[in-house]
Amino acid sequence: MGRSLRSKVRWVYAGVVGLVLGLVLAQYIALSTIETRLQQGDVVAELLQDSLEMRRFEKKFYGSGEHGDLAAARDHAEAALERVRENEAALAQHARPGELDELQAVLELYRTGLGRYPGLAGDRREQLVESIRNAGGEASALTKVLSQRERENLRTGVQVSRTELLLATSIVLVLVLLGGWWLARRILAPLRSVEDQLRAIGAGSRRRLTAPNQDRELVSFTHAFNAMLDELDARSQDLRRSERLAALGVLVSGVAHELNNPLGNISTALQLVAEEGRGGDPALLEEWLQQAEGETARAQNIVRGLLMYSRQQPRSPKREECRSLKTILDGALDLIRATLPADQVTMRVDDALQVTVDPERLQQVFVNLLRNAFEAGGDDVEVHIQAQRGRLADLRPGPGGHVVGDLVVHGQDLTPVVRISIDDDGPGIPDAALDHVFEPFYRGRDEGSGSGLGLFVAQEIVQDHGGAIGVSRCPMGGTRFQVWLPCECEDRA
């Protein structure tokens, strides 16, 4: 197993701390360098000040003859000479080879000349004055040169420090950006992948969560989440079994109620026939016998619908290969042609459109929907069938209807589907009844018509195929049934 998210975060944190410390160290070095140069500048400035002061007192002594001025000039010369000796390393940063030695020599000559001045007279004094002036001038010139170089070096040092600081800051910013990119790629991108998968699961996808990498936290999370999905699936299956048991209870009570009425009517008619005997009115006897026959047919219809439901209940749809949707619809029309006006059905379905279904069971769905249309609308009803293939987002039902089936209720917009629409121009279904048409033994028509199981069986078959079925009112009147099936086939060329 790979690194954990925690270790990656720690590496990023350590990198950021290291970069910050590096930037602080670079700033500290730059400021220390500037501080050193400022200290060197103070030494050069004080040396220049001593050289200027000794010349000033020297000139003042020549004018006034005060020995105090001579002593002051000598003191400044000694201070300058001592300053050069004590700060030779700092001054060497600004002096060329031999200049400091030359400066010390002229300062020593200047200081010695000032000391000898009181003891000389005449020409020798004049010669000494000339020597003192030359030495003082050279000392002042050298200190001014050192001062100028120090200022230039300070200016250059500040510029270099500024450049180094900007360079260090730029490097830190680049490394921070690289760290952010690495963080987004190694941590945020896997988390976004998990988020997208969770969003898809929340939208109805049953695909298991997959870890985008081998980070311990993500692997542990996906294992725990998938275990939760497995548990939910198991509980969902238990709930579905419970719902089927509840539906079975409804079926049993419904069958008992539905069969009780025709059986009671048959018993009553036969009792009347028995009471009349052979000497009874033939027309009346025939009427009672026809009534008994009709009630028998009604009971047979109820049992037939129950058998259809019992046959399809334990089976899963056979979908081994792609089948032509138009061929399946044609077969459904052939099945109703003997009892219903199939010539009043118009169909607009592409011959190349295919679906992966159990054809016999899907035919039963269309037979039940067509029979429902003709029984509700009468012999004059017109039925229109059309089919479309596309994405679920483009073929979702409009407002105002009732839909059952996870494909439409929880399906993803990009899921490829086939939608079959069956419209009739009959009286339509009241809005209050739309939510009940797929319930077992629900009749929106006369109580004695139909078994009440046709639409219930149709929606069970459609959902077993992973599809959905819906009912709504047509915009121009009548009823519209729509069936959505997942499309796993390519259209035939």
Side-chain angles (χ1 to χ4, degrees), residues 59 92 120 154 236 244 346 364 385:
K59 293 178 180 179
L120 297 178
L154 179 61
S236 177
R244 287 190 179 275
T346 59
Q364 184 63 52
I385 303 176

Side-chain angles (χ1 to χ4, degrees), residues 41-69:
D42 292 340
V43 172
V44 174
E46 291 172 355
L47 179 61
L48 178 62
Q49 182 66 27
D50 287 336
S51 67
L52 294 176
E53 287 295 318
M54 73 179 188
R55 294 305 308 279
R56 184 173 71 84
F57 281 108
E58 174 199 346
K59 293 178 180 179
K60 186 177 179 182
F61 169 72
Y62 291 146
S64 64
E66 293 290 338
H67 289 281
D69 295 333

